[in-house]
Amino acid sequence: MAKVAFIGLGVMGFPMAGHLKVKGGHDVTVYNRTASKAAAWAEKFGGTAAPTPAEAARDADFVFTCVGNDDDLRSVTSGKGGVLETMKSGAILIDNTTASADVARELYAAAKEKGVGFIDAPVSGGQAGAENGVLTVMCGADQADYDMAKPVIDSFARMVGLMGAPGAGQLTKMINQICIAGLVQGLAEGIHFGKRAGLDIEKVIEVISKGAAGSWQMENRHKTMNEGKYDFGFAIDWMRKDLGIVLDEARSNGAKLPVTALVDQFYGDVQAMGGNRWDTSSLLARLEK
Ligand SMILES: NC(=O)c1ccc[n+]([C@@H]2O[C@H](COP(=O)([O-])OP(=O)(O)OC[C@H]3O[C@@H](n4cnc5c(N)ncnc54)[C@H](OP(=O)(O)O)[C@@H]3O)[C@@H](O)[C@H]2O)c1
């Protein structure tokens, strides 16, 4: 049993911190900017809520963060009252936010100055994956830090991998988002075409999902897409944040991502339709407008 702090009890963090307490059996202290959520978490799982990230992290062996973007992450780690003010030497900071590889490297260096380890550990699997404790976790870290943290991360994960040096976890998550963007647009176009052709989409997907066109998105999203329901997962505002990080990184490493850049614009169109909180499969709504 380890002493663990968890900062950021959003859609993802709330259940992840719960698994650390219940499944992992760890002694968990949480912090959330909106204090009522931290109180609700402590009530539900029987842990402790702290008034600042620094207070939550004091004496912890492992500190997890899962907030919105790079700036949010800086404010709860290296900012005033952030966890790096109090983390003890030998402790490990594990960040589950989807953020840039640059901020991961920056925090690795800031942590190292204090004798603290840092792992960028973005996740995939969505709200359901977090609630069921079956997330995929992509890590960038020093091997020794990874080896110490992996059994703790396992509390909310089905697959945990060390992808390389600090930053490599975020780069892997970027590849994940690149693959999803083009794929969902293809699926949206397929369903749109099928409807125009007057085919029974359920029947079509039942057959083609077993062939070379099959995918997780097809299996899990075709039914709700066909019904025009778009509140089943990852919000477009978050996806655009992620694709912005991807396109910035591609500008610096020279990768060509024409389809990803186009789909990012398509998501912009869906936001303009009022779809900021719709899930990523709502690319179909844009075609049917
Ligand atoms: N949702 C998904 O399906 C999913 C899947 C994979 C990865 N992710 C990534 O995981 C991260 C969290 O996603 P989420 O869906 O859990 O988001 P969310 O529900 O919006 O929660 C965000 C959390 O971060 C906190 N926060 C944001 N800015 C902060 C700041 N400046 N200072 C302190 N706390 C701050 C929020 O506190 P308040 O409660 O006070 O607002 C909240 O606890 C994001 O990077 C997202 O891209 C999400």
Side-chain angles (χ1 to χ4, degrees), residues 34-58:
T34 306
S36 55
K37 274 197 221 168
W41 187 93
E43 165 105 23
K44 180 165 181 187
F45 295 106
T48 315
T52 63
E55 282 313 311
R58 195 181 292 283

Side-chain angles (χ1 to χ4, degrees), residues 8-12 32-34 37 66-68 72 75-76 97-98 123 126-127 173 234 238 241-242:
L9 302 172
V11 166
M12 302 298 282
N32 196 69
R33 180 178 58 184
T34 306
K37 274 197 221 168
C66 188
V67 292
D72 301 330
S75 93
V76 299
T97 309
T98 302
V123 301
Q127 182 173 356
K173 172 77 183 184
F234 190 56
W238 282 142
K241 182 252 307 177
D242 292 2

Side-chain angles (χ1 to χ4, degrees), residues 38-160:
W41 187 93
E43 165 105 23
K44 180 165 181 187
F45 295 106
T48 315
T52 63
E55 282 313 311
R58 195 181 292 283
D59 297 326
D61 305 303
F62 300 93
V63 175
F64 288 81
T65 47
C66 188
V67 292
N69 60 24
D70 284 19
D71 286 341
D72 301 330
L73 178 59
R74 285 190 185 97
S75 93
V76 299
T77 54
S78 52
K80 193 168 164 349
V83 297
L84 286 173
E85 273 182 9
T86 51
M87 280 182 75
K88 63 184 181 192
S89 176
I92 301 179
L93 172 57
I94 302 150
D95 176 43
N96 301 121
T97 309
T98 302
S100 68
D102 287 343
V103 78
R105 293 182 199 111
E106 173 189 313
L107 290 178
Y108 171 79
K112 198 169 187 136
E113 267 182 31
K114 295 176 180 277
V116 169
F118 177 83
I119 305 178
D120 48 301
V123 301
S124 171
Q127 182 173 356
E131 285 170 355
N132 297 321
V134 293
L135 290 169
T136 294
V137 188
M138 305 150 242
C139 300
D142 290 338
Q143 184 78 50
D145 292 338
Y146 176 79
D147 291 343
M148 288 218 283
K150 168 139 187 335
V152 184
I153 298 173
D154 278 339
S155 305
F156 55 73
R158 175 164 60 190
M159 166 63 80
V160 187

